[in-house]
Amino acid sequence: MAQSTEPLQGDFWLFGYGEDHRGTPSSPGRVVTLISYAHYLTLHPHLNPPPQPPPVWGAAYHIPPEYVPEVQSYLDIREINGYSIQYTPFQPADASLPAIERCMVYIGLPENPQFLGVQEPDELARHIWKSKGPSGENKEYLFMLEEALNKLGKGAGDEHVENLAWRTREVGKLAEGIAEGTVDDTQVAEEAIKGAIGRVKGGSSSHE
């Protein structure tokens, strides 16, 4: 990808995602962001990386010229602190459509105070299950993200997102058991949550 700070000229394409944090300042939700492949490798030094980074699936939005100033101003306010503007080629899932040679994308930077880096999956699933805000519940954001990625095209599903969604659903099953009275000891339930989630091995769901 090529980094740029030049003002936009004419129409452009944006590799985008919604502003939907599903949390509050006291209980912030968890959302995905895009980071550079080089930084990703520093977070997972044990990996044996492929020669080329894998593709990232998403949606590209065409911004007509008349809306460019308004959209760019909005994006700069929302994203400029803690993100870098870069450009990347974009290949539609429909191979009959032409590739987009220059698609704008905001890449998260580790110095962003909201960037959390690697998190323990079990704790992350429990946090997502309980977090909610004016936009809705954090778990709903995760489940909708999982569904949307799977609908983008063949091979578009994300293993990490699917794994985290499964873990979060397992937390929900036990939480509902507490609420219904089928589990009457919170401490035991919490241990059961840890045990249930512990059945997930190697980053992919191990359904039993």
Side-chain angles (χ1 to χ4, degrees):
M1 286 186 292
Q3 186 169 352
S4 175
T5 57
E6 296 178 2
L8 297 171
Q9 302 292 332
D11 63 344
F12 73 100
W13 288 85
L14 171 70
F15 189 94
Y17 50 92
E19 182 180 26
D20 195 357
H21 291 172
R22 306 287 177 121
T24 64
S26 61
S27 182
R30 299 290 184 261
V31 296
V32 296
T33 192
L34 299 175
I35 61 175
S36 71
Y37 188 55
H39 181 59
Y40 171 79
L41 293 179
T42 68
L43 300 176
H44 302 278
H46 61 284
L47 292 179
N48 184 20
Q52 296 293 329
V56 176
W57 286 79
Y61 299 88
H62 179 240
I63 312 300
E66 62 268 28
Y67 294 107
V68 167
E70 177 184 354
V71 171
Q72 185 172 24
S73 176
Y74 167 75
L75 291 173
D76 285 346
I77 292 173
R78 193 186 87 172
E79 309 284 16
I80 204 64
N81 292 322
Y83 290 85
S84 68
I85 298 174
Q86 301 191 26
Y87 292 92
T88 183
F90 182 89
Q91 176 60 59
D94 184 347
S96 67
L97 297 176
I100 300 168
E101 295 183 4
R102 185 176 165 87
C103 186
M104 177 189 283
V105 59
Y106 283 83
I107 299 297
L109 301 173
E111 54 264 33
N112 186 333
Q114 295 183 344
F115 182 76
L116 298 176
V118 178
Q119 292 193 284
E120 201 282 318
D122 300 357
E123 293 295 336
L124 180 57
R126 288 194 285 275
H127 184 93
I128 289 173
W129 176 262
K130 68 181 182 180
S131 295
K132 60 182 179 180
S135 297
E137 296 178 313
N138 200 190
K139 60 179 178 284
E140 184 182 25
Y141 163 89
L142 173 61
F143 300 152
M144 291 174 65
L145 174 64
E146 177 192 30
E147 181 181 4
L149 286 172
N150 287 328
K151 288 182 176 179
L152 284 177
K154 184 178 180 180
D158 185 276
E159 185 179 272
H160 171 69
V161 171
E162 292 176 353
N163 178 265
L164 184 57
W166 183 82
R167 291 169 185 257
T168 304
R169 290 188 180 98
E170 290 298 301
V171 172
K173 291 177 184 178
L174 290 164
E176 290 168 0
I178 296 172
E180 294 172 359
T182 56
V183 180
D184 57 8
D185 189 303
T186 302
Q187 185 175 358
V188 171
E190 288 176 350
E191 291 302 317
I193 289 173
K194 294 178 182 178
I197 295 176
R199 292 197 301 269
V200 182
K201 303 295 184 181
S204 60
S205 298
S206 175
H207 301 278
E208 298 181 0

